[in-house]
Amino acid sequence: MVAGGREARGRSEPQARAQSAVTTLPRRRPAGRLELKRFAPSGRSLAVGLALLVGAGLAYGYARSTAAFAVTEVRVHGAPADVAAEVRATLDHVQAESLLSLRLPALEARVERLPWVASAAVDRAFPHTLAVTVVPEQPAAVLRQGAASWLVAASGRVLAPLALRQRPALPRVWLGRGVVLEAGGTVKGVPLQAVRAVAPLVAAPLPSRVASVRASRDELTLVLRNGFEIRLGDGTQRALKLEIARRILPSLPPMGYLDVSVPKFPVAAETLNSQVEVEVQGSSSG
């Protein structure tokens, strides 16, 4: 009896423990919720990253304050020799300064104030060179004011004073005495329209050289060396009007005028005061 009772009790104890055991089920994560802890860097990673950042800052500060990257050369690209010399002289103050301490936009603005510089880009060329890429202004005409002459760029910027009869291949634009000119300044209004009228001829000249430009608010006239006139009308569609004149001029007599103020209907006459005008077959393309 006793043995049997012990055996029954031995069998029932594991069953009782199994029945009384509590099973903990894993919690279900809400759908769409990220476990950010998995992506957070460890404390060691943060410490290493901070140390690298501090080290880089100290190295940068040291390089700025030493001669490690001191400027010893200013190299100019894209400009003729005389303009390049002006650029180097303008940036002479950066010699021996650290490349890392230079404010490049301020240097670019300084270079672009030079009359012959249309635009400039300044960059560091480690270890000791400041590289400057220049787009120079392109002379387009000569401004005449009394006995004075000034070279002017296609942009309208006044480049430099000239002696009489210099740059004979460029058209002359006559100005009134009230216009103030200085190197680096820009002409405006009617004189600027006149300069813009002949600016395309720098790259694509007409068959005959343009000697001068007559300009008013509503009329632009190119006067060739032989006295022939090309009347452009206002300043619109300049490239088209010049292309039409370029195609028609070889077939016209050396005297008279060609009116391309209405590009689709160019008109020519053999004398400047002719009452009989001949319509010329022109092209509106180009």
Side-chain angles (χ1 to χ4, degrees):
M1 289 293 293
V2 175
R6 289 179 178 176
E7 183 179 353
R9 193 183 310 118
R11 286 197 303 269
S12 61
E13 286 179 358
Q15 293 176 357
R17 284 196 299 269
Q19 291 175 358
S20 63
V22 178
T23 302
T24 303
L25 297 177
R27 293 182 179 180
R28 300 179 64 182
R29 298 186 183 92
R33 184 176 178 181
L34 293 176
E35 191 175 352
L36 298 179
K37 186 177 180 181
R38 296 173 54 193
F39 301 98
S42 65
R44 182 178 180 181
S45 298
L46 288 174
V48 172
L50 182 61
L52 290 175
L53 183 62
V54 172
L58 292 174
Y60 181 80
Y62 176 77
R64 283 173 60 98
S65 61
T66 66
F69 298 113
V71 177
T72 59
E73 179 185 8
V74 176
R75 188 176 301 162
V76 182
H77 307 275
D82 54 343
V83 178
E86 286 189 39
V87 172
R88 285 192 292 269
T90 298
L91 297 178
D92 186 64
H93 67 286
V94 305
Q95 293 287 345
E97 289 192 24
S98 173
L99 285 171
L100 297 174
S101 67
L102 299 178
R103 296 177 61 244
L104 301 187
L107 296 180
E108 290 173 353
R110 188 184 183 101
V111 173
E112 288 174 353
R113 285 196 289 270
L114 294 173
W116 280 88
V117 177
S119 65
V122 180
D123 201 1
R124 303 176 180 92
F126 291 100
H128 301 293
T129 301
L130 188 68
V132 186
T133 302
V134 169
V135 177
E137 294 278 12
Q138 296 297 322
V142 174
L143 302 176
R144 288 295 310 273
Q145 189 180 50
S149 298
W150 296 79
L151 188 63
V152 63
S155 63
R157 195 172 191 182
V158 181
L159 302 179
L162 292 177
L164 290 178
R165 299 183 180 84
Q166 280 190 304
R167 301 276 185 158
L170 293 178
R172 267 50 181 167
V173 177
W174 290 88
L175 305 178
R177 294 188 179 275
V179 181
V180 178
L181 298 177
E182 61 178 354
T186 302
V187 295
K188 300 177 181 179
V190 173
L192 180 58
Q193 290 292 326
V195 173
R196 287 176 173 172
V198 295
L201 302 180
V202 175
L206 295 174
S208 298
R209 183 173 69 83
V210 176
S212 63
V213 185
R214 291 202 310 266
S216 66
R217 293 187 180 276
D218 303 314
E219 183 70 30
L220 289 168
T221 300
L222 310 185
V223 182
L224 305 185
R225 187 165 55 176
N226 60 7
F228 191 91
E229 295 183 358
I230 301 174
R231 300 174 181 176
L232 304 177
D234 58 24
T236 62
Q237 298 181 289
R238 291 187 298 268
L240 175 59
K241 294 172 182 178
L242 289 174
E243 180 59 27
I244 293 172
R246 185 177 292 106
R247 297 181 183 184
I248 294 175
L249 275 176
S251 63
L252 297 179
M255 296 298 296
Y257 70 85
L258 171 64
D259 190 325
V260 290
S261 56
V262 181
K264 290 185 178 180
F265 304 103
V267 175
E270 293 186 3
T271 62
L272 296 179
N273 299 317
S274 174
Q275 300 299 315
V276 180
E277 298 178 345
V278 180
E279 186 173 332
V280 180
Q281 186 66 33
S283 170
S284 59
S285 62

